[in-house]
């Protein structure tokens, strides 16, 4: 079984800075870490490899310094690491990122074997959009299983996988065909400590560096800022509200009385809401 794990080296969110003109994240001089959600995806990939056999390839797109993050994944036990780096990728939004990564995954498949599973974290802490994983799945025509909490079994002979997926209001147990893309939730497994052998392997291993041309990307207009329709108009911290919250005392009172008082307080603050409700027949 061949598993590809997409990770991202992200700025430490406690020290993040935004460029005042382009409104893009400034990475120079800011400490970086592996996106925490991606570590759960990596651990799950390693667990499946240990159980069913195969190889784990870790892929990231980023500046040359992202090699540090990939080398750490080799220290956790990944078999190989690929860095997709090129000036054409600078300023990519989720659309351009998913395009470049999907092309690189296809190239990884041609070079090292078609992936059975592609893993990503549920989202990144610098963007928080949760769009790249599903975007990759769409471009590669993969079944996508998002917000996965557990993988009970994989049947390689039948080309099927069973997953436990958290959803609004409960949990879903799903069976899907392979290949597929999985986005893992946080806290779903315990991230291992790399062994001494893994640390030595990471130190002496070569991280493969691919340019856009190496990854087989011909249409550069779909990469970087040119391929990114998303425009950040303004970045700001919301101002604190001057109005303080009201406190309703609850001892020795029924839920109906509390509800009536709460509704009355809401309508007092928002008289237009009361008029709208009256217009709609109280619905």
């Amino acid at each position: 079984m061949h598993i590809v794990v997409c990770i991202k080296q992200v700025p430490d969110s406690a020290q993040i800075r935004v460029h005042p003109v382009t409104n893009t994240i400034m990475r120079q001089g800011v400490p970086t870490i592996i996106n925490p959600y991606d570590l759960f995806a990596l651990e799950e990939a390693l667990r499946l490899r240990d159980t069913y056999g195969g190889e784990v390839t870790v892929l990231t797109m980023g500046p040359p310094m992202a090699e540090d993050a990939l080398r750490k994944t080799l220290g956790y036990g990944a078999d190989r690491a690929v860095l997709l780096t090129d000036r054409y990728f600078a300023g990519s939004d989720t659309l351009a990122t998913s395009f470049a990564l999907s092309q690189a995954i296809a190239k990884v498949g041609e070079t090292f074997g078609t992936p059975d599973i592609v893993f990503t974290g549920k989202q990144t802490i610098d963007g928080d959009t949760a769009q790249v994983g599903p975007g990759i799945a769409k471009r590669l025509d993969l079944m996508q299983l998002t917000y996965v909490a557990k993988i009970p079994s994989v049947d390689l002979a039948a080309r099927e996988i069973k997953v436990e997926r958290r959803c609004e209001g409960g949990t879903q147990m799903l069976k899907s065909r392979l290949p597929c893309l999985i986005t893992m939730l946080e806290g779903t497994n315990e991230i291992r400590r790399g062994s001494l052998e893994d640390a030595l392997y990471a130190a002496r291993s070569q991280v493969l560096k691919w340019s856009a041309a190496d990854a087989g990307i011909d249409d550069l207009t779909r990469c970087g800022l040119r391929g990114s329709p998303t425009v950040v108009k303004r970045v700001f911290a919301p101002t604190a509200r001057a109005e303080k919250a009201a406190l309703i005392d609850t001892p020795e009172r029924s839920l109906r009385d509390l509800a009536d008082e709460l509704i009355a307080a809401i309508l007092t603050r928002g008289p237009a809401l009361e008029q709208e409700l009256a217009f709609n027949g109280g619905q």
Side-chain angles (χ1 to χ4, degrees), residues 98-145:
S98 63
F99 170 74
L101 287 176
S102 64
Q103 296 292 294
I105 291 171
K107 187 66 175 182
V108 166
E110 294 175 6
T111 308
F112 304 110
T114 303
D116 298 286
I117 303 175
V118 177
F119 274 101
T120 71
K122 73 166 187 177
Q123 63 194 62
T124 59
I125 62 172
D126 60 348
D128 280 331
T129 64
Q131 295 174 351
V132 171
I136 293 172
K138 175 64 177 178
R139 295 181 185 279
L140 295 178
D141 194 25
L142 297 175
M143 296 294 293
Q144 59 174 291
L145 304 168

Side-chain angles (χ1 to χ4, degrees), residues 8-28:
K8 185 178 183 183
Q9 187 181 57
V10 296
D12 188 334
S13 58
Q15 302 186 48
I16 197 169
R17 295 182 298 160
V18 177
H19 194 282
V21 177
T22 63
N23 285 324
T24 57
I25 294 174
M26 298 174 61
R27 303 180 187 276
Q28 293 78 11

Side-chain angles (χ1 to χ4, degrees), residues 165-221:
R165 177 183 184 271
R166 292 182 194 166
C167 61
E168 187 174 348
T171 301
Q172 294 176 332
M173 295 296 296
L174 303 177
K175 181 194 292 186
S176 173
R177 69 175 185 267
L178 297 176
C180 68
L181 180 140
I182 295 173
T183 70
M184 289 298 298
L185 284 175
E186 71 280 8
T188 51
N189 49 43
E190 185 175 347
I191 300 170
R192 67 186 63 192
R193 290 178 178 269
S195 65
L196 177 59
E197 183 178 354
D198 291 329
L200 294 175
Y201 176 74
R204 66 173 181 264
S205 293
Q206 178 184 6
V207 173
L208 300 177
K209 298 181 179 67
W210 286 357
S211 65
D214 295 331
I217 300 175
D218 298 323
D219 189 356
L220 296 177
T221 63

Side-chain angles (χ1 to χ4, degrees), residues 4-84:
V4 173
V5 183
C6 295
I7 71 161
K8 185 178 183 183
Q9 187 181 57
V10 296
D12 188 334
S13 58
Q15 302 186 48
I16 197 169
R17 295 182 298 160
V18 177
H19 194 282
V21 177
T22 63
N23 285 324
T24 57
I25 294 174
M26 298 174 61
R27 303 180 187 276
Q28 293 78 11
V30 180
T32 57
I33 58 175
I34 299 176
N35 179 51
Y37 297 119
D38 296 342
L39 289 176
F40 296 103
L42 174 62
E43 174 59 33
E44 195 65 19
L46 295 173
R47 186 186 71 84
L48 292 180
R49 181 204 59 187
D50 295 344
T51 302
Y52 300 100
E55 294 181 330
V56 172
T57 300
V58 182
L59 170 67
T60 193
M61 184 182 84
M65 67 179 184
E67 179 181 346
D68 295 338
L70 288 174
R71 203 164 290 282
K72 289 178 182 177
T73 67
L74 294 174
Y76 282 115
D79 296 285
R80 71 176 61 87
V82 179
L83 171 59
L84 187 61

